[in-house]
Amino acid sequence: MKKLSKKSISIALLSMMLVLPLQGCGSSTDKDAADKDGIVTLKIYAQYSDEDTKIPYDYAVEQLAEAYPNVKLELDVQAQDDGQKLQTYAATGNLPDIYQVSLNQINNFKESDNILVLDDYLDSTGFGDKVYDTADNILYNNDGHCYAFPYAGNEMVLWFYNKDLFEQYNVAVPTNYDELLAAVKTFRENDITPLSIFAKEKWPCVALYDTLATGLNPAGVDALDKGTALASDDAYTTAAERLHELVKAGMLPEGATNLNYDQAASLFYEGKAAMFINGQWEIQASTEKLGDSVDWMWYPTSNAGEVSYAMSGGGAPGGYAVSPYSENKDLAVEVAAFISEKYCEAKYMKRANPLLAVKVDSSIEKEVEFPAMMQKLSDSLDTITSYTKFDWGLSNPTVKVALEDQSQFLLTPDYTPEEFVTEIDKAINEE
């Protein structure tokens, strides 16, 4: 065995002395320790870069000062670096007491034991009772555990429509597939594009197929992504057949798969298309362009006599997490839950955003009025029964690519539902 010199041993011992203090190190405050004024300082790593993040955070801190006068938050502004700074904190044992995380960070940190499991705290903080019944997908990770208190709610795909065009051509707003097909034929006969879509991007293609699928199976593309359903199942085959029939009937603009957002939106804004599909974030732009002439409808894709309140879209786990090494762990959990709840209140009151993880008291006076379509959406949140996934939320990469490609192909008249079903099932079975 090679002997080490005294110099080498000294260097090794020094290295150990530098490394050992980092093991299990968390917050810089001592457990239950406070300064001479009884103040406990908690470090928090959070977004604070624009009005959408500064206003809710500042409001939450103001409310915290009233509810927890003995707590002071020391803010470390989240870097726009895809989580690299937070990863460095974890690697060096310097995680803040509270920190914001996305799904990817949750998955990384749970493997390295750098994130606290919050299951038992959902009851003790009361946070679990305040979350929307349909928000399990953003509260719990795929492994069934909660790792962060979420504040962002589920987003969704909406079918927008021009009320003036429907009235002008005496077309009833469709509530099911048969009425939708009839509306498509009427508009096409009058040289009006029935539905505009920016299908040069693939996610709207998946979303359009998903809105038809959810009318027949509420799980939509989420079940295909998880492998709990096949495209050859009746609901998914029927959805493909119906989309093919609508395309053949002329539902989409010419060259739909070559249209970008600006081109597709212009058709709708200029009154050349009766309907438009996009996320709910389209509400502001469509309101500015069409005023009271625009509204959104529940997906008209169910069978006659049925109405589906299952929505295409969704969200992912994320929000305020707590370091398992915090010297004030229980207090940090209480504060993280509180901040998340108040963050939601501020988004509702001050940012005209009702898409939240936590139910907000509707009697709270809004400082910014919602556009009519957003108010309608806010009033309808309790009606929604479930959410699927956006294209970017699909977790199975093989199925994701297949759905993107085949859904886009399905928007061309010569591509058959049989080809779609075969390729999607092939991707699912590969996994």
Side-chain angles (χ1 to χ4, degrees):
M1 179 182 293
K2 182 179 179 180
K3 292 184 178 181
L4 295 176
S5 67
K6 290 183 178 181
K7 181 178 181 181
S8 299
I9 293 173
S10 298
I11 293 173
L13 288 173
L14 178 60
S15 298
M16 290 175 65
M17 292 173 65
L18 291 172
V19 172
L20 285 174
L22 297 177
Q23 303 299 321
C25 181
S27 169
S28 61
T29 57
D30 294 330
K31 186 173 183 179
D32 298 327
D35 64 17
K36 62 182 180 179
D37 297 319
I39 303 298
V40 177
T41 299
L42 298 177
K43 293 183 178 180
I44 182 170
Y45 185 71
Q47 293 178 337
Y48 195 81
S49 58
D50 55 22
E51 289 189 344
D52 280 337
T53 54
K54 289 182 177 181
I55 290 176
Y57 180 84
D58 288 342
Y59 173 82
V61 171
E62 290 173 4
Q63 296 298 307
L64 181 73
E66 295 182 15
Y68 292 82
N70 65 314
V71 174
K72 176 185 176 182
L73 289 184
E74 182 180 311
L75 174 62
D76 184 356
V77 177
Q78 185 181 86
Q80 305 300 311
D81 61 354
D82 292 327
Q84 291 304 308
K85 184 176 180 179
L86 189 61
Q87 190 68 43
T88 300
Y89 281 155
T92 57
N94 288 305
L95 276 174
D97 300 278
I98 302 167
Y99 54 92
Q100 283 182 303
V101 288
S102 65
L103 177 59
N104 287 340
Q105 291 164 332
I106 289 174
N107 288 334
N108 287 334
F109 281 13
K110 72 177 186 177
E111 295 298 325
S112 58
D113 295 326
N114 279 305
I115 192 167
L116 184 66
V117 178
L118 300 174
D119 298 1
D120 294 338
Y121 294 101
L122 294 177
D123 289 334
S124 64
T125 61
F127 191 88
D129 294 332
K130 300 171 184 176
V131 175
Y132 278 102
D133 293 339
T134 53
D136 279 357
N137 62 315
I138 56 178
L139 182 62
Y140 295 104
N141 206 42
N142 286 339
D143 62 7
H145 294 296
C146 175
Y147 297 94
F149 295 111
Y151 50 84
N154 285 299
E155 296 187 298
M156 64 202 79
V157 176
L158 292 179
W159 280 48
F160 297 89
Y161 71 99
N162 186 318
K163 294 188 287 187
D164 291 347
L165 287 178
F166 274 79
E167 182 177 350
Q168 179 180 346
Y169 293 102
N170 196 31
V171 177
V173 178
T175 60
N176 57 60
Y177 176 74
D178 292 338
E179 293 173 355
L180 173 61
L181 182 59
V184 166
K185 292 178 178 178
T186 298
F187 283 123
R188 181 50 66 188
E189 289 169 359
N190 288 278
D191 295 325
I192 298 293
T193 296
L195 176 74
S196 189
I197 182 173
F198 46 109
K200 187 173 184 178
E201 296 184 39
K202 293 184 179 181
W203 80 260
C205 307
V206 176
L208 178 56
Y209 172 74
D210 193 33
T211 61
L212 272 82
T214 56
L216 303 168
N217 181 342
V221 295
D222 186 31
L224 299 177
D225 181 50
K226 293 176 178 175
T228 57
L230 293 171
S232 53
D233 294 347
D234 288 344
Y236 297 94
T237 298
T238 300
E241 292 171 346
R242 287 180 172 181
L243 183 52
H244 180 68
E245 184 177 28
L246 291 167
V247 170
K248 295 282 282 187
M251 179 174 71
L252 305 180
E254 184 177 352
T257 56
N258 291 316
L259 293 183
N260 61 29
Y261 168 78
D262 290 335
Q263 294 167 319
S266 292
L267 291 176
F268 186 58
Y269 300 157
E270 295 169 6
K272 298 176 182 178
M275 296 176 284
F276 184 42
I277 187 171
N278 199 358
Q280 93 289 325
W281 51 81
E282 172 65 31
I283 286 176
Q284 182 175 353
S286 282
T287 299
E288 290 175 355
K289 296 292 185 180
L290 295 170
D292 295 336
S293 297
V294 64
D295 200 354
W296 61 267
M297 68 180 79
W298 296 107
Y299 306 150
T301 56
S302 302
N303 294 320
E306 300 176 1
V307 179
S308 174
Y309 297 107
M311 300 301 289
S312 175
Y320 287 103
V322 174
S323 168
Y325 308 118
S326 171
E327 298 295 343
N328 295 282
K329 184 169 60 179
D330 291 342
L331 179 60
V333 169
E334 286 185 41
V335 171
F338 183 90
I339 289 290
S340 179
E341 181 182 352
K342 296 306 174 182
Y343 204 99
C344 289
E345 281 186 15
K347 286 166 72 73
Y348 180 86
M349 294 167 52
K350 300 172 179 291
R351 304 303 296 161
N353 185 349
L355 303 183
L356 311 167
V358 172
K359 296 177 182 178
V360 172
D361 186 352
S362 59
S363 65
I364 294 177
E365 185 175 350
K366 299 190 294 290
E367 297 179 12
V368 179
E369 288 302 315
F370 292 176
M373 286 191 291
M374 187 63 81
Q375 186 61 57
K376 175 182 174 181
L377 188 59
S378 178
D379 295 340
S380 302
L381 291 178
D382 285 334
T383 306
I384 296 171
T385 55
S386 62
Y387 297 89
T388 60
K389 286 182 179 177
F390 280 106
D391 168 68
W392 52 82
L394 299 174
S395 58
N396 184 322
T398 303
V399 174
K400 179 179 184 293
V401 171
L403 276 170
E404 289 174 339
D405 292 342
Q406 308 311 314
S407 294
Q408 189 180 55
F409 294 157
L410 197 54
L411 302 191
T412 59
D414 294 333
Y415 189 76
T416 68
E418 291 76 18
E419 290 175 290
F420 175 88
V421 168
T422 298
E423 291 302 317
I424 299 300
D425 277 0
K426 179 181 176 182
I428 294 172
N429 290 326
E430 281 183 8
E431 294 297 316

